[in-house]
Amino acid sequence: MTPDAGGRFFEDFTLGERITHATPRTLESGDIALYQALYGGRHILNSSLPAAQAAGYVSRPLENWLVFHIVFGKTVPDISRNAIANLGYAEGRFLAPVYCGDTVSAASEVMGLRENSNGKSGIVMVRSRGFNQHQEMIVEYTRWVMVNKRDPSASAPDPSMPQLAAAVAPADLVPPPEGISTLDSAQSGSDKYFDDYETGLFIDHHDGVTLEDSEHMLATRAYQNTARVHFDGLAQQETRFGKRLIYGGHIISHARAMSFNGLENAVCVAGLNAGTHAAPAFAGDTIYAGTRIMDKASIVGVESVGALRLRHFVTKNKPVGDIAELVSNQETETRPDDLLLDLDCWVWMARR
Amino acid sequence: MTPDAGGRFFEDFTLGERITHATPRTLESGDIALYQALYGGRHILNSSLPAAQAAGYVSRPLENWLVFHIVFGKTVPDISRNAIANLGYAEGRFLAPVYCGDTVSAASEVMGLRENSNGKSGIVMVRSRGFNQHQEMIVEYTRWVMVNKRDPSASAPDPSMPQLAAAVAPADLVPPPEGISTLDSAQSGSDKYFDDYETGLFIDHHDGVTLEDSEHMLATRAYQNTARVHFDGLAQQETRFGKRLIYGGHIISHARAMSFNGLENAVCVAGLNAGTHAAPAFAGDTIYAGTRIMDKASIVGVESVGALRLRHFVTKNKPVGDIAELVSNQETETRPDDLLLDLDCWVWMARR
Amino acid sequence: MTPDAGGRFFEDFTLGERITHATPRTLESGDIALYQALYGGRHILNSSLPAAQAAGYVSRPLENWLVFHIVFGKTVPDISRNAIANLGYAEGRFLAPVYCGDTVSAASEVMGLRENSNGKSGIVMVRSRGFNQHQEMIVEYTRWVMVNKRDPSASAPDPSMPQLAAAVAPADLVPPPEGISTLDSAQSGSDKYFDDYETGLFIDHHDGVTLEDSEHMLATRAYQNTARVHFDGLAQQETRFGKRLIYGGHIISHARAMSFNGLENAVCVAGLNAGTHAAPAFAGDTIYAGTRIMDKASIVGVESVGALRLRHFVTKNKPVGDIAELVSNQETETRPDDLLLDLDCWVWMARR
């Protein structure tokens, strides 16, 4: 009855299977404070209760990526404990605000399976959904990972992999309350709004942050994410990395916080179109972020915000400005060696 | 009036003396979040408010070891600031749940004193008790420490040391609410319950965690534990250790969190029978945990849980599986060099 | 429209200008817990809700320096992002308690401007004020910083620098509720009160703490302080320091927490007379603190507390006792090389 090292291997997944993840987690003001200390965000809806209430929220909403990481963390023991690589995200949407006191649970559905040609591993694609204690869906996204087979000789199911949208359609995004229009520009940090941003613009967010082992571990444990590569420095010495890998979501949260400089009124995250952790991040790396405006969309019937499609780039040990030329070239898929994260998402930008 | 370096020496203790410790501490949701980030626990009663309420708790109970460390921390300035070694624990019981908003205070009684034969130090045994703001006792335990004498020539009291029970009797443990039986196995993380565990079973919890100075210091300050060996890296350079010692309770909390893998439905800690910090832990060490089931007991009139007596083993820089043979041999007291913690405790395991 | 690296230069300030700072920040119990873990304070009003309520507070007040750092952090993007040095503080007062749930905002007024003789930089003096969500002023202080000019050839305003008081007059300090007199000495940690302290006394607080990069960054991000020198280890390699500088306020908070040993009943901070960050602090430094009683004042009509004027000294890598002779000599302004912080403040000391 002793458990094995835990987690499913490729042959343990069945197409269409639905998996309920343990353990529901109640989020409270302490989680806000810790997230604040980890990333230093300054977006007004997450920082100020009166501003959030004036905007029409019941209370101060938790950061979208915090909610995402909590849901993601729950999926790890079932989905990616034996993953070799986290390959991509798509079709992500934030559907409802999460407040202090809410309890988040998660479930996933196996959407795609395809054995790799080497017979030793395969791709598992899941659609993961987070719920609050009222069983309302708060976030959903698709991700796919490469998972080892336990037994290379095990037979594999017929390959099946759904086609994914290149981006969430703006009309499918869930807008925030209309009270966003009441935000004060002196308090939010900028008088730049939706109409001030042009597609194609590249913004260098300028700040650099050196990463620490204790910080990414605190974060990853707060998310109840149990992937061993983040914690076991001794076992990592035996790998090609030689040290603990930082959870990719930790970099996403830094990117969001850093993007405040120049995108102050991007009041919340709306959707996740695609994301690539292009290189591993380690303690001691210093990261920088820049963002390119990829698209913008007004939503019929929504006055207070418009949707901006952003591509966040995070570099390591080289200011993002140095590679801006490369990363802002939408046509090429070339990724400079120094690129750590390439994240394509929708945000809600306040308008006046 | 300038205070000396603080803390009592062996000759400052009197048999039977009662000591009220400063400072009462109100615990709130922020303490839950920090503890979560430090250890990454996933046991459902501490993680989910709805699950805790369904089980019959008023609110989400704080982790037992968090409460223990808070009480322990209060005793340090009075009991162990000049301790050379923390020698043992016994007769510990968790008596009532602690919730957010509760204020914990602590008091100790000197139960035993015995000068060492070298005349330079002695053993001090205390019974420490934690209380909430209603003066209800929430935890009690006995511990004994070796304390320096200020003056080797000071006379010592007649040696007196009480006999301690090898283990708390199961009938003396305080069970959780009967609603534990409502827990959902998909949400709690396992469908293994009390009847699935046999005495003698050894469970390797598999995960490894590399320790960090900033993490153990954050923890130890959260517990208001002022023992200087944990904080003053410069002074530690002059000792045989050469670096900051990690508070032993930090390892206990890691052991509890790591023991989730294989003991998911061990919903809370019930008692502390014995504990040895067999070796010092330092930042950079990677720890692993395994647990042996030592005994099990059904309690008359209690349907939803049974008591499991566990022996948690924590190793450093060597997977616990490598020494399982040794540590699972109950008859020998041999402790491998790599053993960090040997903790004998009772937990409440859900039953079906 | 891409923002530049951000922040004002010397020529961007105008005498008398009023600046509203972004972003308001709601403080909650999570912030208390994190602050506790960072500094380990044990002063009873901040630690115990029942004690705070018995003293006459509505709830448990947040630590004064936490509130100060939150206000300070808001001023950084506007005032000191391009500062070369943080030169001094004066005329600081804590005016009203801040509780969980309160939202802090900040504004500053430019009080003085003086170009340096080299024409490349200048001194900017601001009066900064923090407010709660009811627009009540909770803290105010003056600080002056040296700020680079963007363009050395830019013309400078006529020099104007107000005269500052050497110390806040005791009668201008805002006393805590009279219920302070109900504090229990066993619970507060000491039976030493106002009448037990003599002007001139030097107290060595004894504890040493080794500083960590992850801790000062967690703190500084919690304060939403965006000064890059604290975070960007790579850019700091190009400076004369070679590594991340620790926010001076982090040292102030450690000093307050360390000062518990010997000043247990100094229940809260009342005012800030002067402060010098005499040397930079880096991760790996071990700090020690000592305090000299500079003055004491009884306030007409206030029974439960008296004002103690303290000078906190923090040394690095050398126990403060070793330099006590020097630092306690009020007549000389000599500062030993090992001195990190010299902070002149008023505290409220309970009386019996």
Side-chain angles (χ1 to χ4, degrees), chain A residues 1-17:
Chain A
M1 203 220 80
T2 288
D4 61 24
R8 290 158 184 247
F9 289 87
F10 179 72
E11 61 265 49
D12 299 327
F13 291 94
T14 307
L15 199 67
E17 181 183 9

Side-chain angles (χ1 to χ4, degrees), chain B:
Chain B
M1 203 219 82
T2 288
D4 61 24
R8 291 159 184 245
F9 290 86
F10 178 72
E11 59 265 51
D12 299 326
F13 292 93
T14 307
L15 198 67
E17 181 183 8
R18 289 162 186 274
I19 302 168
T20 299
H21 306 297
T23 313
R25 166 116 147 71
T26 304
L27 291 162
E28 302 237 32
S29 80
D31 297 293
I32 295 183
L34 186 74
Y35 195 87
Q36 173 66 52
L38 286 165
Y39 307 110
R42 289 173 288 150
H43 290 95
I44 192 165
L45 292 182
N46 307 117
S47 182
S48 167
L49 173 62
Q53 290 177 326
Y57 287 92
V58 172
S59 182
R60 183 159 60 132
L62 273 65
E63 292 259 5
N64 300 102
W65 291 118
L66 168 55
V67 173
F68 179 89
H69 300 326
I70 292 286
V71 172
F72 186 102
K74 300 206 170 324
T75 71
V76 167
D78 296 313
I79 306 298
S80 52
R81 191 160 161 96
N82 297 310
I84 309 161
N86 198 27
L87 299 172
Y89 309 100
E91 300 184 354
R93 295 191 304 155
F94 292 98
L95 300 164
V98 175
Y99 299 113
C100 283
D102 283 354
T103 300
V104 173
S105 61
S108 294
E109 183 178 350
V110 180
M111 307 293 286
L113 291 171
R114 187 177 61 217
E115 189 182 31
N116 285 329
S117 55
N118 65 12
K120 296 179 180 170
S121 57
I123 310 296
V124 177
M125 180 180 285
V126 294
R127 185 132 191 90
S128 297
R129 298 182 175 92
F131 303 88
N132 65 16
Q133 70 277 20
H134 309 298
Q135 309 314 317
E136 293 165 340
M137 204 189 303
I138 53 179
V139 61
E140 61 170 354
Y141 63 93
T142 295
R143 79 163 163 138
W144 54 107
V145 293
M146 190 183 301
V147 179
N148 274 322
K149 291 175 72 176
R150 183 185 288 106
D151 173 8
S153 69
S155 68
D158 290 340
S160 171
M161 203 57 72
Q163 194 67 28
L164 296 169
V168 178
D172 291 337
L173 301 170
V174 179
E178 284 288 356
I180 297 291
S181 60
T182 65
L183 291 183
D184 177 83
S185 65
Q187 296 205 325
S188 74
S190 174
D191 57 1
K192 297 285 186 296
Y193 295 98
F194 184 73
D195 292 337
D196 299 307
Y197 293 88
E198 297 294 320
T199 295
L201 176 70
F202 184 81
I203 301 170
D204 184 336
H205 304 303
H206 286 294
D207 287 332
V209 178
T210 304
L211 303 173
E212 299 287 330
D213 270 324
S214 56
E215 292 184 358
H216 77 79
M217 292 201 300
L218 285 172
T220 308
R221 283 187 294 242
Y223 310 142
Q224 295 177 315
N225 177 331
T226 61
R228 278 165 293 180
V229 292
H230 308 315
F231 300 107
D232 186 337
L234 187 64
Q236 286 303 106
Q237 286 176 16
E238 306 301 309
T239 69
R240 67 191 165 104
F241 301 114
K243 39 195 171 174
R244 283 165 277 179
L245 284 173
I246 294 180
Y247 165 49
H250 190 60
I251 307 302
I252 293 176
S253 289
H254 271 301
R256 166 71 180 161
M258 293 167 107
S259 77
F260 181 83
N261 287 344
L263 289 163
E264 293 83 354
N265 289 315
V267 290
C268 54
V269 185
L272 171 60
N273 300 313
T276 301
H277 301 290
F282 306 105
D285 286 342
T286 300
I287 62 172
Y288 302 89
T291 298
R292 186 175 184 236
I293 311 294
M294 305 291 288
D295 197 1
K296 50 190 296 188
S298 296
I299 313 294
V300 175
V302 175
E303 303 290 330
S304 65
V305 294
L308 282 190
R309 185 174 170 190
L310 306 179
R311 208 165 146 192
H312 291 311
F313 299 98
V314 177
T315 51
K316 66 180 222 181
N317 304 327
K318 177 174 277 193
V320 75
D322 298 358
I323 61 166
E325 195 70 30
L326 267 175
V327 298
S328 66
N329 183 340
Q330 195 175 1
E331 282 68 40
T332 83
E333 279 296 306
T334 311
R335 288 203 184 90
D337 287 347
D338 309 291
L339 191 66
L340 204 53
L341 175 71
D342 180 347
L343 190 80
D344 179 340
C345 62
W346 286 106
V347 296
W348 291 114
M349 173 60 73
R351 53 197 316 169
R352 278 292 174 280

Side-chain angles (χ1 to χ4, degrees), chain C residues 43-85:
Chain C
H43 290 96
I44 191 165
L45 293 181
N46 307 117
S47 182
S48 167
L49 173 62
Q53 289 178 326
Y57 288 92
V58 173
S59 182
R60 185 160 57 132
L62 273 64
E63 292 259 4
N64 300 100
W65 291 117
L66 168 56
V67 173
F68 178 89
H69 299 327
I70 292 286
V71 171
F72 185 102
K74 302 208 168 321
T75 70
V76 168
D78 296 313
I79 306 298
S80 51
R81 191 158 160 97
N82 297 310
I84 309 161

Side-chain angles (χ1 to χ4, degrees), chain A residues 296-308:
Chain A
K296 49 189 298 189
S298 296
I299 313 292
V300 175
V302 175
E303 303 289 330
S304 65
V305 294
L308 281 189

Side-chain angles (χ1 to χ4, degrees), chain A residues 47 49 202 207 210 214-215, chain C residues 2 24 26 81 214 221 233 244:
Chain A
S47 183
L49 173 62
F202 184 81
D207 287 332
T210 303
S214 55
E215 292 184 358
Chain C
T2 289
T26 304
R81 191 158 160 97
S214 56
R221 282 188 295 243
R244 284 165 277 180

Side-chain angles (χ1 to χ4, degrees), chain C residues 329-349:
Chain C
N329 184 339
Q330 197 176 1
E331 282 67 42
T332 84
E333 279 296 305
T334 312
R335 287 203 185 91
D337 287 347
D338 309 294
L339 191 67
L340 203 55
L341 174 72
D342 181 347
L343 190 81
D344 180 340
C345 62
W346 286 107
V347 297
W348 291 114
M349 173 60 72

